[in-house]
Amino acid sequence: MTEKIALDVPFMEVSGELCKGCQLCLAVCPKSVIAISDKLNSASYHPAFYTGADCTGCGLCFYACPEPGAIRVVKP
Amino acid sequence: MKTFEKSNSFYQVFERKSGPAKEATHYCPGCGHGNVHKMIAESMEELDLTKRTVFVSPVGCSVFGYYYFDCGNFQAAHGRAAAVGTAIKRTNPDAIVISYQGDGDLAAIGTAETIHAANRGENITVFFVNNAIYGMTGGQMAPTTMIGQRSATTPLGRKEDIHGNPIRMAEMLATLPAPTYIERVAIGNSKHIMKARKAIKKALRIQAEGKGYSFVEIVSACPTGWKMDPVNARDWLVNDMLKVFPLGVFKDESDNQDEDAWKRHFEPFDKAKVDVYLDRMKSAVGEIEPTVLPEDLNCKFAGFGGQGILTLGLFLSQIGMRGGHHVSWFPAYGPEMRGGTANCSVNLSSERIGTPLVDHPNVLVVMNQPSLELFEKDVVDGGTIILDSTVVEGTPDTKRLNAVMIPASDIADEVGTPKVANVVILGALVAATDAFTPEFCESTLRAIIKKKSLIDMNIEAFRRGYDFVKKA
Ligand SMILES: Cc1ncc(C[n+]2csc(CCOP(=O)(O)OP(=O)(O)O)c2C)c(N)n1
Ligand code: SF4
Ligand code: SF4
Ligand code: SF4
Ligand SMILES: [Mg+2]
């Protein structure tokens, strides 16, 4: 699910199997750089994914997400 | 570089889950419990408290907290987390104790424990996840359910005149003198969450510094119970719930407290001390001299309060104790100090006693009329029934039972006072059961009767009862 991304800019990634598709991360992202996949994961949720650019590494999506392991944000 | 990722205070793998997503929680999509868990784990890790923490999971959707937090864990009965937390803290004062509770758990079934732990100022941290519903059981009304909110048990919406108003626990607890820190936060939007993180961390720090009771109410979301999608649920939380549950600090004494001001030191359990106490109890009956019981005694003594029924039971128990037997003494009496009915159950056994209750005695003592009708039928076949024929009329079933009818009160009066009728009965009981020698009983009575001037009268009463049976 995760796109290839450059390591010297901030990015977020979603662990597609742990995501429950609640969309709370989408709702809080100030840059609107998270989207929902058309595909289902094995738990039958449409997981979120990073659209690939312009994440500022603010971490808001991380705290909005209820799943401990679903989101990782890196701000170099 | 800054990375936001799963805290190390969580287990890597959540063993509860089956299937592929073994690192996912069991919570519904958009459930607030997950957000709160993340904030707690983060604070535990940042304050370096994980190894010292004992997390008490409640009954409710968060019952499986122990599958997530990689610290010490307990799971309390419904509503009892604060009481369990108290016990953990008092026996392990260096532990960081988290009592994590839902609104049904903390504000309904556990209201008493909640209030009294706060009122004692236990040096623990309570995280109260208020989602305005019983999530786990399928969305019934909670004490915090909003007016108008539909739930499984308020299908037409909660009504003030029928169901009362939503309870504001933070405000209520803040009226108590003992708590150090009480704040209400929320997880409705990012601003709320950032504040909630600070409050959770502060609460844990207060406990770690021994500064007393900390309570953080977190207004949370239950999309499933509310029948909303997760994003709408957060909006409803912000727009509706916060009107009833305003955010803020309701009490904060943390800056006025000395470190460890609320750290209570308790002596650990010391077997030697307990043994000294037990030995002192035993020494009151004199030197133990093991005797042989012909059979176990399961006795019921019944009469009016004031007749010495309970003392009769105590004397027999103490004689049994001195004879090296297992004994139990279990009194039951009405609210009247004098004149009401009283009975007591006494077991003397060569083996450990499972229950102090005696439903089917093999020895029944009857010292008033009603007790004869009440208890005679319960005596086992071939059992002994002793009645004070001065005060009780009628004859028990002598075919089925070994009956001793003794004018105990008259005899006692002759000895000096009707008050020793119970000891006359004791003499008759020992004679009828051959449980002990009279000399053994008399030397025990000498040791246990506190008032020395009464000893001879009691020995005389015992003898008269004993001889009445033996010489009959
Ligand atoms: C002694 C007892 N009574 C009732 C229940 C049923 N019960 C289980 S969870 C619960 C309410 C949970 O509500 P809450 O504390 O708000 O937790 P939530 O699931 O909303 O997080 C009840 C009544 C129980 N398990 N044990
Ligand atoms: S870290 Fe901030 S900018 Fe980046 S995806 Fe998350 S919310 Fe959006
Ligand atoms: S908030 Fe978490 S669980 Fe919900 S959609 Fe985003 S990544 Fe998935
Ligand atoms: S029922 Fe409500 S509280 Fe329970 S897991 Fe689901 S969303 Fe969370
Ligand atoms: Mg609840």
Side-chain angles (χ1 to χ4, degrees), chain B residues 50-379:
Chain B
T50 313
K51 284 204 170 64
R52 287 169 60 193
T53 297
V54 181
F55 186 97
V56 184
S57 302
V59 168
C61 280
S62 50
V63 64
F64 294 133
Y66 52 87
Y67 279 106
Y68 303 133
F69 293 93
D70 190 1
C71 59
N73 284 285
F74 243 89
Q75 198 277 313
H78 203 12
R80 314 293 171 241
V84 171
T86 297
I88 298 169
K89 187 72 181 188
R90 288 188 176 206
T91 46
N92 304 275
D94 291 326
I96 300 298
V97 176
I98 293 176
S99 182
Y100 184 106
Q101 302 179 256
D103 38 33
D105 191 81
L106 179 138
I109 192 169
T111 320
E113 285 79 356
T114 300
I115 291 175
H116 293 292
N119 192 46
R120 294 188 304 266
E122 296 299 335
N123 190 24
I124 64 174
T125 301
V126 178
F127 292 127
F128 170 37
V129 180
N130 173 3
N131 58 13
I133 204 139
Y134 289 9
M136 185 196 215
T137 39
Q140 293 81 3
M141 190 195 93
T144 47
T145 293
M146 305 268 289
I147 295 296
Q149 186 183 335
R150 288 167 197 267
S151 72
T153 43
T154 55
L156 302 177
R158 181 176 188 166
K159 291 197 172 70
E160 179 183 351
D161 54 351
I162 302 177
H163 312 106
N165 280 293
I167 289 184
R168 299 187 176 105
M169 289 308 292
E171 285 88 334
M172 264 173 60
L173 295 179
T175 65
L176 301 171
T180 298
Y181 172 58
I182 295 180
E183 178 164 0
R184 182 184 289 118
V185 297
I187 54 163
N189 57 37
S190 294
K191 261 201 193 125
H192 294 152
I193 291 180
M194 295 310 139
K195 267 207 163 162
R197 288 172 59 210
K198 283 205 186 104
I200 285 171
K201 193 167 180 179
K202 176 166 176 165
L204 288 176
R205 189 184 291 120
I206 285 171
Q207 181 183 171
E209 290 172 351
K211 288 185 173 176
Y213 179 87
S214 50
F215 178 96
V216 180
E217 174 171 341
I218 301 121
V219 182
S220 184
C222 172
T224 304
W226 300 353
K227 303 197 176 10
M228 293 180 194
D229 74 58
V231 175
N232 285 336
R234 301 289 165 125
D235 289 345
W236 185 74
L237 184 170
V238 176
N239 298 328
D240 289 62
M241 275 186 85
L242 297 190
K243 287 197 189 109
V244 174
F245 299 108
L247 304 185
V249 177
F250 296 95
K251 191 159 191 225
D252 186 1
E253 299 287 331
S254 57
D255 288 339
N256 312 324
Q257 306 275 343
D258 291 334
E259 255 184 51
D260 287 343
W262 287 89
K263 186 165 178 176
R264 291 168 169 145
H265 296 273
F266 285 86
E267 303 262 325
F269 175 79
D270 180 357
K271 184 169 185 305
K273 264 198 190 150
V274 175
D275 286 346
V276 167
Y277 175 78
L278 290 178
D279 285 348
R280 204 172 67 225
M281 298 270 291
K282 281 189 206 149
S283 68
V285 302
E287 199 78 16
I288 303 286
E289 288 174 29
T291 66
V292 177
L293 271 183
E295 68 168 336
D296 288 358
L297 295 183
N298 313 116
C299 313
K300 179 88 119 198
F301 304 151
F304 288 122
Q307 282 180 315
I309 292 285
L310 306 188
T311 310
L312 168 61
L314 268 186
F315 282 173
L316 182 64
S317 307
Q318 287 171 302
I319 291 168
M321 241 164 97
R322 179 158 169 252
H325 308 296
H326 295 276
V327 305
S328 69
W329 173 80
F330 189 80
Y333 37 82
E336 307 90 342
M337 284 301 284
R338 289 283 179 275
T341 56
N343 75 68
C344 79
S345 302
V346 170
N347 287 291
L348 265 62
S349 173
S350 49
E351 284 168 26
R352 289 182 67 161
I353 294 164
T355 167
L357 299 176
V358 176
D359 291 331
H360 299 289
N362 57 14
V363 178
L364 173 67
V365 167
V366 171
M367 291 184 76
N368 71 359
Q369 199 66 42
S371 298
L372 182 62
E373 281 101 61
L374 203 57
F375 296 119
E376 183 189 344
K377 59 184 181 331
D378 297 335
V379 181

Side-chain angles (χ1 to χ4, degrees), chain A residues 17-18 20 22-24 27-28 42 45 57-60 62-69 71-76, chain B residues 1-6 10 20-21 23-27 29-31 34-35 38 42 190 193-194 197 230-231 234:
Chain A
E17 281 300 298
L18 303 186
K20 288 175 178 161
C22 71
Q23 308 202 12
L24 290 172
V28 300
S42 11
Y45 295 120
C58 68
L60 295 183
F62 172 80
Y63 289 110
C65 175
E67 268 306 310
I71 290 185
R72 195 167 83 104
V73 174
V74 178
K75 189 179 185 183
Chain B
M1 191 172 95
K2 167 91 188 149
T3 307
F4 301 91
E5 62 189 341
K6 181 176 167 186
F10 284 120
E23 288 153 60
T25 63
H26 72 290
Y27 296 116
C31 172
N35 297 89
K38 279 171 78 170
E42 176 186 64
S190 294
I193 291 180
M194 295 310 139
R197 288 172 59 210
V231 175
R234 301 289 165 125

